[in-house]
Amino acid sequence: MGGIFGVISKRNCVTELFYGTDYHSHLGTKRAGMAVINQNGLFARSIHDIQSSYFRIKFEPDLPKFDGNSGIGVISDTDAQPILINSRLGRFAIATVGKITNVEELEEEFLAQNKNFAEISSGKTNQTELASHLVTERETFAEGIVYAQSRIKGSLTMVILTYDGIIAARDRYGRTPLIIGRNEDSIAVASEDCSFPNIGFESEYILGPGETVLITADGITQLVPPQDKLRICSFLWIYYGYPTSNYEGINVDDVRNRLGSIMGAKDDTPLDVVSSIPDSGTCMAVGYARGKGIPFRAAMVKYNTTWPRSFTPISQSTRELVAKMKLIPNYSIIKNKKVAFCDDSIVRGTQLKNNVKALYKHGAKEVHIRISCPPIIYPCPYLNFSSSRSPLELITRKFIHKVENAAPADIYKYSCDSCPEYARMVEYIRSKLNMSTLIFNTVQEVVQAIGLPKESLCTHCFDGTGHDT
Ligand code: SF4
């Protein structure tokens, strides 16, 4: 999905920029970048591939070349960024989060006007460069951002580093968050406010959907007011977000905990113990234990000493090997037990199938899987999540297309948790992955756990709704 961070200060703020950006590393796996306006007034920039190493390891040697009071950083799924632009609006650096789904259409339009694209990412036009072209179509940054947001299909949140300050613009429907933080002499803006506490910032303001602000070391000026309609991604709370982060003031761990307790309270399956597939299922499992009144135990433990993160290995078989090697099952907890395992979601189901197999191999009597969200049926058109996969890679779509041969118009029936089609699909997944039982939370339960009105949330990947463009 990616994350962005920016900071401006009355003093050198490269350290805050470095660590603030690093605290977004859980959101992306491919590229990262930082850009700073140095004391000499020149832009300095670094971009690295972070598929084979950590952000900090890659960027630490670059720090001597950064020496400024303002900068932006990004963890990016695809694009090499920030992009440096010299335009009629002046020189600037821009970084974005989100997904433009009409890249080809906009690209053709610009090429027909004899405009060029300098950056190619993974063989495609760099969407951050495309955004910069759209922004510079107008007389001011504020007008340009409004214009860009009106032309973009998908969603795009951006930070722009200029000589006048940092411009922060949340996407039109607020699908991705932007939060402002402050300490005594600096102001920061971040996708994740978990980046604030350890670098001395306190959250101060949440940008509304489509809102744009100019941040200087002295304060914040609103350039574009927020619009009314919010469609924040519900999957932020389920999977993307760090447990200590807050979106719209609602904490991620709290929501995951509620998702677990809601399910535990309604689940009458006889069970001995609940555990999680670490790390993302753990907050839910703690809540589930409370809701059901059974103990939580760490039946699968991640070997953090040498497997802290699986750097996107190239092949599926290597990915599976890494997933298997880094989780160690605990015999003493599993053997002869009826164990419930909480996990955030099922996409393809491959890893979960291997985990279930390992649990039986290590003596579990029954393996019951509890998933914090509903089945994912629709690819995400707004962020780089399931959008990068073909719909048929989703285990749900495999069933719908290959087994049921359902007409496209009937797909919604599989997201209706009271419909027989939904029950057949869940049973297919259960038996395919060899689980004793399988329960998903419903869309209504996700909405209840988050606590925002349904119409303020995007739940498109579960039920196909929230589809404003
Ligand atoms: S489709 Fe799913 S992942 Fe994408 S923005 Fe909506 S809720 Fe989030």
mmCIF file of all heavy atoms in Angstrom, residues 1-3 29-33 45-50 74-83 94-100 103 119-132 156 384:
data_model
loop_
_atom_site.group_PDB
_atom_site.id
_atom_site.type_symbol
_atom_site.label_atom_id
_atom_site.label_comp_id
_atom_site.label_asym_id
_atom_site.label_seq_id
_atom_site.Cartn_x
_atom_site.Cartn_y
_atom_site.Cartn_z
ATOM 1 N N MET A 1 0.821 -1.208 0.000
ATOM 2 C CA MET A 1 0.000 0.000 0.000
ATOM 3 C C MET A 1 0.856 1.260 0.000
ATOM 4 O O MET A 1 0.605 2.185 -0.743
ATOM 5 C CB MET A 1 -0.915 -0.029 1.227
ATOM 6 C CG MET A 1 -1.662 1.254 1.434
ATOM 7 S SD MET A 1 -2.502 1.257 3.031
ATOM 8 C CE MET A 1 -2.344 2.948 3.489
ATOM 9 N N GLY A 2 1.906 1.291 0.801
ATOM 10 C CA GLY A 2 2.795 2.457 0.852
ATOM 11 C C GLY A 2 2.381 3.465 1.900
ATOM 12 O O GLY A 2 1.244 3.461 2.387
ATOM 13 N N GLY A 3 3.331 4.328 2.269
ATOM 14 C CA GLY A 3 3.057 5.375 3.253
ATOM 15 C C GLY A 3 3.952 6.567 3.004
ATOM 16 O O GLY A 3 5.028 6.429 2.407
ATOM 17 N N THR A 29 6.932 -2.751 0.278
ATOM 18 C CA THR A 29 8.047 -3.690 0.215
ATOM 19 C C THR A 29 9.026 -3.442 -0.929
ATOM 20 O O THR A 29 10.054 -4.087 -0.985
ATOM 21 C CB THR A 29 7.492 -5.108 0.023
ATOM 22 O OG1 THR A 29 6.580 -5.075 -1.067
ATOM 23 C CG2 THR A 29 6.788 -5.614 1.257
ATOM 24 N N LYS A 30 8.686 -2.538 -1.833
ATOM 25 C CA LYS A 30 9.541 -2.488 -3.018
ATOM 26 C C LYS A 30 10.553 -1.346 -3.045
ATOM 27 O O LYS A 30 11.724 -1.567 -3.204
ATOM 28 C CB LYS A 30 8.668 -2.432 -4.278
ATOM 29 C CG LYS A 30 8.007 -3.767 -4.538
ATOM 30 C CD LYS A 30 7.627 -3.938 -5.972
ATOM 31 C CE LYS A 30 7.107 -5.350 -6.163
ATOM 32 N NZ LYS A 30 5.976 -5.411 -7.056
ATOM 33 N N ARG A 31 10.037 -0.121 -2.905
ATOM 34 C CA ARG A 31 10.953 1.017 -3.018
ATOM 35 C C ARG A 31 10.709 2.004 -1.894
ATOM 36 O O ARG A 31 9.628 2.069 -1.325
ATOM 37 C CB ARG A 31 10.738 1.735 -4.343
ATOM 38 C CG ARG A 31 11.213 0.930 -5.528
ATOM 39 C CD ARG A 31 11.307 1.801 -6.755
ATOM 40 N NE ARG A 31 11.870 1.072 -7.852
ATOM 41 C CZ ARG A 31 11.166 0.297 -8.658
ATOM 42 N NH1 ARG A 31 9.871 0.170 -8.484
ATOM 43 N NH2 ARG A 31 11.746 -0.352 -9.643
ATOM 44 N N ALA A 32 11.747 2.794 -1.625
ATOM 45 C CA ALA A 32 11.603 3.871 -0.638
ATOM 46 C C ALA A 32 12.434 5.045 -1.100
ATOM 47 O O ALA A 32 13.360 4.892 -1.899
ATOM 48 C CB ALA A 32 12.056 3.391 0.733
ATOM 49 N N GLY A 33 12.076 6.228 -0.614
ATOM 50 C CA GLY A 33 12.831 7.413 -1.018
ATOM 51 C C GLY A 33 12.704 8.525 -0.008
ATOM 52 O O GLY A 33 11.766 8.559 0.804
ATOM 53 N N ARG A 45 18.153 14.008 -2.960
ATOM 54 C CA ARG A 45 17.180 12.902 -2.982
ATOM 55 C C ARG A 45 17.906 11.559 -3.030
ATOM 56 O O ARG A 45 18.977 11.437 -3.635
ATOM 57 C CB ARG A 45 16.306 13.031 -4.229
ATOM 58 C CG ARG A 45 15.308 11.892 -4.368
ATOM 59 C CD ARG A 45 14.536 11.961 -5.663
ATOM 60 N NE ARG A 45 15.377 11.704 -6.826
ATOM 61 C CZ ARG A 45 14.913 11.401 -8.020
ATOM 62 N NH1 ARG A 45 13.620 11.339 -8.233
ATOM 63 N NH2 ARG A 45 15.721 11.191 -9.026
ATOM 64 N N SER A 46 17.303 10.547 -2.426
ATOM 65 C CA SER A 46 17.776 9.166 -2.564
ATOM 66 C C SER A 46 16.580 8.257 -2.745
ATOM 67 O O SER A 46 15.544 8.460 -2.094
ATOM 68 C CB SER A 46 18.487 8.689 -1.295
ATOM 69 O OG SER A 46 19.761 9.205 -1.236
ATOM 70 N N ILE A 47 16.725 7.284 -3.622
ATOM 71 C CA ILE A 47 15.684 6.260 -3.791
ATOM 72 C C ILE A 47 16.388 4.904 -3.771
ATOM 73 O O ILE A 47 17.449 4.753 -4.384
ATOM 74 C CB ILE A 47 14.941 6.436 -5.134
ATOM 75 C CG1 ILE A 47 14.193 7.771 -5.156
ATOM 76 C CG2 ILE A 47 13.963 5.282 -5.378
ATOM 77 C CD1 ILE A 47 13.558 8.116 -6.492
ATOM 78 N N HIS A 48 15.849 3.960 -3.032
ATOM 79 C CA HIS A 48 16.462 2.622 -3.002
ATOM 80 C C HIS A 48 15.406 1.540 -3.155
ATOM 81 O O HIS A 48 14.248 1.714 -2.759
ATOM 82 C CB HIS A 48 17.184 2.387 -1.672
ATOM 83 C CG HIS A 48 18.435 3.178 -1.536
ATOM 84 N ND1 HIS A 48 19.564 2.943 -2.290
ATOM 85 C CD2 HIS A 48 18.743 4.230 -0.723
ATOM 86 C CE1 HIS A 48 20.509 3.809 -1.951
ATOM 87 N NE2 HIS A 48 20.024 4.598 -1.009
ATOM 88 N N ASP A 49 15.864 0.423 -3.698
ATOM 89 C CA ASP A 49 15.071 -0.795 -3.728
ATOM 90 C C ASP A 49 15.166 -1.397 -2.323
ATOM 91 O O ASP A 49 16.270 -1.585 -1.810
ATOM 92 C CB ASP A 49 15.714 -1.728 -4.767
ATOM 93 C CG ASP A 49 14.912 -2.970 -4.998
ATOM 94 O OD1 ASP A 49 14.374 -3.494 -4.008
ATOM 95 O OD2 ASP A 49 14.820 -3.423 -6.145
ATOM 96 N N ILE A 50 14.013 -1.645 -1.679
ATOM 97 C CA ILE A 50 14.079 -2.217 -0.317
ATOM 98 C C ILE A 50 13.561 -3.656 -0.294
ATOM 99 O O ILE A 50 13.119 -4.155 0.727
ATOM 100 C CB ILE A 50 13.330 -1.341 0.724
ATOM 101 C CG1 ILE A 50 11.888 -1.038 0.278
ATOM 102 C CG2 ILE A 50 14.081 -0.059 1.007
ATOM 103 C CD1 ILE A 50 11.003 -0.504 1.402
ATOM 104 N N VAL A 74 9.058 8.420 1.609
ATOM 105 C CA VAL A 74 7.975 7.546 1.144
ATOM 106 C C VAL A 74 8.421 6.088 1.150
ATOM 107 O O VAL A 74 9.577 5.784 0.888
ATOM 108 C CB VAL A 74 7.509 7.982 -0.282
ATOM 109 C CG1 VAL A 74 8.648 7.912 -1.286
ATOM 110 C CG2 VAL A 74 6.319 7.162 -0.766
ATOM 111 N N ILE A 75 7.493 5.218 1.517
ATOM 112 C CA ILE A 75 7.653 3.780 1.308
ATOM 113 C C ILE A 75 6.649 3.453 0.214
ATOM 114 O O ILE A 75 5.462 3.760 0.348
ATOM 115 C CB ILE A 75 7.318 2.969 2.579
ATOM 116 C CG1 ILE A 75 8.189 3.394 3.771
ATOM 117 C CG2 ILE A 75 7.422 1.477 2.301
ATOM 118 C CD1 ILE A 75 9.642 3.021 3.721
ATOM 119 N N SER A 76 7.143 2.864 -0.861
ATOM 120 C CA SER A 76 6.315 2.763 -2.064
ATOM 121 C C SER A 76 6.217 1.321 -2.542
ATOM 122 O O SER A 76 7.209 0.592 -2.500
ATOM 123 C CB SER A 76 6.976 3.634 -3.138
ATOM 124 O OG SER A 76 6.352 3.504 -4.362
ATOM 125 N N ASP A 77 5.049 0.939 -2.987
ATOM 126 C CA ASP A 77 4.881 -0.424 -3.497
ATOM 127 C C ASP A 77 5.492 -0.595 -4.873
ATOM 128 O O ASP A 77 6.062 -1.625 -5.188
ATOM 129 C CB ASP A 77 3.396 -0.766 -3.577
ATOM 130 C CG ASP A 77 2.940 -1.478 -2.329
ATOM 131 O OD1 ASP A 77 3.798 -2.059 -1.659
ATOM 132 O OD2 ASP A 77 1.735 -1.433 -2.026
ATOM 133 N N THR A 78 5.334 0.405 -5.713
ATOM 134 C CA THR A 78 5.783 0.232 -7.088
ATOM 135 C C THR A 78 6.716 1.343 -7.547
ATOM 136 O O THR A 78 7.840 1.101 -7.960
ATOM 137 C CB THR A 78 4.568 0.182 -8.042
ATOM 138 O OG1 THR A 78 3.730 1.299 -7.730
ATOM 139 C CG2 THR A 78 3.801 -1.096 -7.903
ATOM 140 N N ASP A 79 6.219 2.597 -7.470
ATOM 141 C CA ASP A 79 6.950 3.702 -8.082
ATOM 142 C C ASP A 79 8.240 4.051 -7.364
ATOM 143 O O ASP A 79 8.298 4.034 -6.151
ATOM 144 C CB ASP A 79 6.091 4.970 -8.073
ATOM 145 C CG ASP A 79 4.917 4.871 -9.010
ATOM 146 O OD1 ASP A 79 4.890 3.912 -9.805
ATOM 147 O OD2 ASP A 79 4.044 5.748 -8.948
ATOM 148 N N ALA A 80 9.246 4.429 -8.180
ATOM 149 C CA ALA A 80 10.433 5.079 -7.635
ATOM 150 C C ALA A 80 10.019 6.523 -7.350
ATOM 151 O O ALA A 80 9.551 7.232 -8.230
ATOM 152 C CB ALA A 80 11.551 5.038 -8.653
ATOM 153 N N GLN A 81 10.144 6.964 -6.132
ATOM 154 C CA GLN A 81 9.769 8.306 -5.719
ATOM 155 C C GLN A 81 10.480 8.666 -4.419
ATOM 156 O O GLN A 81 11.022 7.757 -3.795
ATOM 157 C CB GLN A 81 8.240 8.426 -5.574
ATOM 158 C CG GLN A 81 7.561 7.274 -4.852
ATOM 159 C CD GLN A 81 6.098 7.579 -4.516
ATOM 160 O OE1 GLN A 81 5.687 8.704 -4.347
ATOM 161 N NE2 GLN A 81 5.301 6.533 -4.381
ATOM 162 N N PRO A 82 10.506 9.936 -3.995
ATOM 163 C CA PRO A 82 9.865 11.123 -4.560
ATOM 164 C C PRO A 82 10.443 11.494 -5.935
ATOM 165 O O PRO A 82 11.585 11.189 -6.235
ATOM 166 C CB PRO A 82 10.184 12.227 -3.552
ATOM 167 C CG PRO A 82 10.680 11.529 -2.325
ATOM 168 C CD PRO A 82 11.254 10.246 -2.756
ATOM 169 N N ILE A 83 9.587 12.160 -6.726
ATOM 170 C CA ILE A 83 10.000 12.674 -8.026
ATOM 171 C C ILE A 83 10.387 14.143 -7.830
ATOM 172 O O ILE A 83 9.685 14.877 -7.137
ATOM 173 C CB ILE A 83 8.811 12.614 -9.021
ATOM 174 C CG1 ILE A 83 8.270 11.201 -9.135
ATOM 175 C CG2 ILE A 83 9.192 13.176 -10.372
ATOM 176 C CD1 ILE A 83 9.089 10.296 -9.974
ATOM 177 N N ILE A 94 7.741 15.446 -4.993
ATOM 178 C CA ILE A 94 6.383 14.933 -4.728
ATOM 179 C C ILE A 94 6.428 13.428 -4.456
ATOM 180 O O ILE A 94 7.194 12.691 -5.090
ATOM 181 C CB ILE A 94 5.425 15.269 -5.908
ATOM 182 C CG1 ILE A 94 4.035 14.664 -5.682
ATOM 183 C CG2 ILE A 94 5.984 14.808 -7.239
ATOM 184 C CD1 ILE A 94 2.985 15.136 -6.681
ATOM 185 N N ALA A 95 5.642 12.998 -3.481
ATOM 186 C CA ALA A 95 5.503 11.562 -3.175
ATOM 187 C C ALA A 95 4.017 11.260 -2.987
ATOM 188 O O ALA A 95 3.275 12.106 -2.475
ATOM 189 C CB ALA A 95 6.277 11.207 -1.911
ATOM 190 N N THR A 96 3.595 10.085 -3.407
ATOM 191 C CA THR A 96 2.166 9.753 -3.364
ATOM 192 C C THR A 96 1.925 8.349 -2.785
ATOM 193 O O THR A 96 2.813 7.498 -2.790
ATOM 194 C CB THR A 96 1.539 9.785 -4.782
ATOM 195 O OG1 THR A 96 2.141 8.748 -5.574
ATOM 196 C CG2 THR A 96 1.739 11.126 -5.461
ATOM 197 N N VAL A 97 0.681 8.155 -2.346
ATOM 198 C CA VAL A 97 0.200 6.840 -1.900
ATOM 199 C C VAL A 97 -1.152 6.611 -2.552
ATOM 200 O O VAL A 97 -1.974 7.530 -2.583
ATOM 201 C CB VAL A 97 0.019 6.814 -0.365
ATOM 202 C CG1 VAL A 97 -0.816 5.628 0.066
ATOM 203 C CG2 VAL A 97 1.348 6.769 0.339
ATOM 204 N N GLY A 98 -1.383 5.422 -3.050
ATOM 205 C CA GLY A 98 -2.686 5.119 -3.646
ATOM 206 C C GLY A 98 -2.505 4.474 -5.007
ATOM 207 O O GLY A 98 -1.447 3.902 -5.308
ATOM 208 N N LYS A 99 -3.535 4.565 -5.821
ATOM 209 C CA LYS A 99 -3.478 3.905 -7.141
ATOM 210 C C LYS A 99 -4.316 4.681 -8.141
ATOM 211 O O LYS A 99 -5.495 4.926 -7.893
ATOM 212 C CB LYS A 99 -4.012 2.487 -7.003
ATOM 213 C CG LYS A 99 -3.900 1.679 -8.275
ATOM 214 C CD LYS A 99 -4.363 0.263 -8.030
ATOM 215 C CE LYS A 99 -4.419 -0.532 -9.330
ATOM 216 N NZ LYS A 99 -3.109 -0.707 -9.952
ATOM 217 N N ILE A 100 -3.675 5.069 -9.245
ATOM 218 C CA ILE A 100 -4.435 5.712 -10.327
ATOM 219 C C ILE A 100 -4.831 4.600 -11.294
ATOM 220 O O ILE A 100 -3.964 3.932 -11.859
ATOM 221 C CB ILE A 100 -3.590 6.779 -11.060
ATOM 222 C CG1 ILE A 100 -3.039 7.816 -10.069
ATOM 223 C CG2 ILE A 100 -4.397 7.464 -12.145
ATOM 224 C CD1 ILE A 100 -2.158 8.889 -10.694
ATOM 225 N N VAL A 103 -4.403 5.416 -15.552
ATOM 226 C CA VAL A 103 -3.076 5.897 -15.962
ATOM 227 C C VAL A 103 -2.975 5.978 -17.491
ATOM 228 O O VAL A 103 -2.550 6.997 -18.036
ATOM 229 C CB VAL A 103 -1.969 4.959 -15.412
ATOM 230 C CG1 VAL A 103 -0.624 5.296 -16.034
ATOM 231 C CG2 VAL A 103 -1.876 5.075 -13.911
ATOM 232 N N GLU A 119 10.049 9.077 -16.019
ATOM 233 C CA GLU A 119 10.210 7.971 -15.071
ATOM 234 C C GLU A 119 9.355 6.778 -15.502
ATOM 235 O O GLU A 119 8.175 6.936 -15.796
ATOM 236 C CB GLU A 119 9.749 8.402 -13.672
ATOM 237 C CG GLU A 119 10.426 9.645 -13.149
ATOM 238 C CD GLU A 119 11.735 9.326 -12.453
ATOM 239 O OE1 GLU A 119 11.971 8.145 -12.164
ATOM 240 O OE2 GLU A 119 12.498 10.265 -12.205
ATOM 241 N N ILE A 120 9.977 5.630 -15.517
ATOM 242 C CA ILE A 120 9.217 4.402 -15.781
ATOM 243 C C ILE A 120 9.435 3.491 -14.577
ATOM 244 O O ILE A 120 10.565 3.275 -14.165
ATOM 245 C CB ILE A 120 9.741 3.680 -17.050
ATOM 246 C CG1 ILE A 120 9.648 4.598 -18.280
ATOM 247 C CG2 ILE A 120 9.004 2.377 -17.290
ATOM 248 C CD1 ILE A 120 8.270 4.828 -18.827
ATOM 249 N N SER A 121 8.359 2.975 -13.992
ATOM 250 C CA SER A 121 8.491 2.062 -12.853
ATOM 251 C C SER A 121 7.915 0.713 -13.232
ATOM 252 O O SER A 121 6.761 0.632 -13.626
ATOM 253 C CB SER A 121 7.734 2.597 -11.635
ATOM 254 O OG SER A 121 8.326 3.774 -11.167
ATOM 255 N N SER A 122 8.717 -0.334 -13.118
ATOM 256 C CA SER A 122 8.298 -1.696 -13.475
ATOM 257 C C SER A 122 7.662 -1.709 -14.861
ATOM 258 O O SER A 122 6.635 -2.341 -15.071
ATOM 259 C CB SER A 122 7.321 -2.252 -12.425
ATOM 260 O OG SER A 122 7.782 -2.012 -11.131
ATOM 261 N N GLY A 123 8.257 -0.965 -15.797
ATOM 262 C CA GLY A 123 7.774 -0.974 -17.184
ATOM 263 C C GLY A 123 6.534 -0.120 -17.406
ATOM 264 O O GLY A 123 6.009 -0.075 -18.517
ATOM 265 N N LYS A 124 6.047 0.564 -16.363
ATOM 266 C CA LYS A 124 4.825 1.361 -16.518
ATOM 267 C C LYS A 124 5.130 2.823 -16.192
ATOM 268 O O LYS A 124 6.112 3.124 -15.514
ATOM 269 C CB LYS A 124 3.751 0.874 -15.549
ATOM 270 C CG LYS A 124 3.226 -0.498 -15.883
ATOM 271 C CD LYS A 124 2.113 -0.851 -14.934
ATOM 272 C CE LYS A 124 1.628 -2.270 -15.204
ATOM 273 N NZ LYS A 124 1.046 -2.885 -14.060
ATOM 274 N N THR A 125 4.222 3.702 -16.640
ATOM 275 C CA THR A 125 4.363 5.111 -16.298
ATOM 276 C C THR A 125 4.297 5.264 -14.784
ATOM 277 O O THR A 125 3.467 4.644 -14.127
ATOM 278 C CB THR A 125 3.234 5.907 -16.961
ATOM 279 O OG1 THR A 125 3.472 5.860 -18.360
ATOM 280 C CG2 THR A 125 3.226 7.350 -16.518
ATOM 281 N N ASN A 126 5.178 6.085 -14.265
ATOM 282 C CA ASN A 126 5.226 6.320 -12.822
ATOM 283 C C ASN A 126 4.043 7.213 -12.432
ATOM 284 O O ASN A 126 3.923 8.343 -12.899
ATOM 285 C CB ASN A 126 6.571 6.998 -12.522
ATOM 286 C CG ASN A 126 6.793 7.239 -11.061
ATOM 287 O OD1 ASN A 126 5.938 7.796 -10.390
ATOM 288 N ND2 ASN A 126 7.949 6.829 -10.580
ATOM 289 N N GLN A 127 3.153 6.702 -11.570
ATOM 290 C CA GLN A 127 1.917 7.452 -11.281
ATOM 291 C C GLN A 127 2.196 8.737 -10.499
ATOM 292 O O GLN A 127 1.421 9.684 -10.559
ATOM 293 C CB GLN A 127 0.894 6.581 -10.570
ATOM 294 C CG GLN A 127 1.267 6.164 -9.185
ATOM 295 C CD GLN A 127 0.100 5.519 -8.449
ATOM 296 O OE1 GLN A 127 -0.870 5.079 -9.049
ATOM 297 N NE2 GLN A 127 0.198 5.465 -7.144
ATOM 298 N N THR A 128 3.321 8.780 -9.790
ATOM 299 C CA THR A 128 3.660 10.009 -9.065
ATOM 300 C C THR A 128 4.074 11.093 -10.061
ATOM 301 O O THR A 128 3.717 12.266 -9.905
ATOM 302 C CB THR A 128 4.780 9.720 -8.048
ATOM 303 O OG1 THR A 128 4.332 8.660 -7.204
ATOM 304 C CG2 THR A 128 5.088 10.934 -7.200
ATOM 305 N N GLU A 129 4.792 10.706 -11.122
ATOM 306 C CA GLU A 129 5.137 11.688 -12.160
ATOM 307 C C GLU A 129 3.865 12.158 -12.879
ATOM 308 O O GLU A 129 3.694 13.349 -13.159
ATOM 309 C CB GLU A 129 6.123 11.097 -13.170
ATOM 310 C CG GLU A 129 6.591 12.170 -14.142
ATOM 311 C CD GLU A 129 7.468 11.646 -15.265
ATOM 312 O OE1 GLU A 129 7.546 10.417 -15.450
ATOM 313 O OE2 GLU A 129 8.034 12.473 -15.986
ATOM 314 N N LEU A 130 2.980 11.203 -13.128
ATOM 315 C CA LEU A 130 1.711 11.566 -13.775
ATOM 316 C C LEU A 130 0.938 12.573 -12.902
ATOM 317 O O LEU A 130 0.409 13.575 -13.402
ATOM 318 C CB LEU A 130 0.877 10.290 -13.997
ATOM 319 C CG LEU A 130 -0.493 10.439 -14.619
ATOM 320 C CD1 LEU A 130 -0.416 11.097 -15.992
ATOM 321 C CD2 LEU A 130 -1.187 9.085 -14.739
ATOM 322 N N ALA A 131 0.930 12.323 -11.598
ATOM 323 C CA ALA A 131 0.243 13.257 -10.676
ATOM 324 C C ALA A 131 0.886 14.634 -10.748
ATOM 325 O O ALA A 131 0.200 15.660 -10.734
ATOM 326 C CB ALA A 131 0.306 12.711 -9.247
ATOM 327 N N SER A 132 2.229 14.674 -10.851
ATOM 328 C CA SER A 132 2.911 15.978 -10.902
ATOM 329 C C SER A 132 2.523 16.729 -12.175
ATOM 330 O O SER A 132 2.360 17.951 -12.150
ATOM 331 C CB SER A 132 4.426 15.805 -10.807
ATOM 332 O OG SER A 132 4.939 15.306 -12.020
ATOM 333 N N LEU A 156 -5.518 8.970 -4.578
ATOM 334 C CA LEU A 156 -4.139 9.440 -4.466
ATOM 335 C C LEU A 156 -4.007 10.490 -3.362
ATOM 336 O O LEU A 156 -4.651 11.527 -3.404
ATOM 337 C CB LEU A 156 -3.653 10.028 -5.797
ATOM 338 C CG LEU A 156 -2.146 9.867 -6.008
ATOM 339 C CD1 LEU A 156 -1.770 8.393 -6.198
ATOM 340 C CD2 LEU A 156 -1.665 10.678 -7.181
ATOM 341 N N ASN A 384 -2.714 -0.502 -3.697
ATOM 342 C CA ASN A 384 -2.030 -1.674 -4.241
ATOM 343 C C ASN A 384 -2.117 -2.837 -3.281
ATOM 344 O O ASN A 384 -1.178 -3.154 -2.573
ATOM 345 C CB ASN A 384 -0.570 -1.339 -4.511
ATOM 346 C CG ASN A 384 -0.419 -0.743 -5.871
ATOM 347 O OD1 ASN A 384 -0.918 -1.280 -6.857
ATOM 348 N ND2 ASN A 384 0.225 0.407 -5.941
#
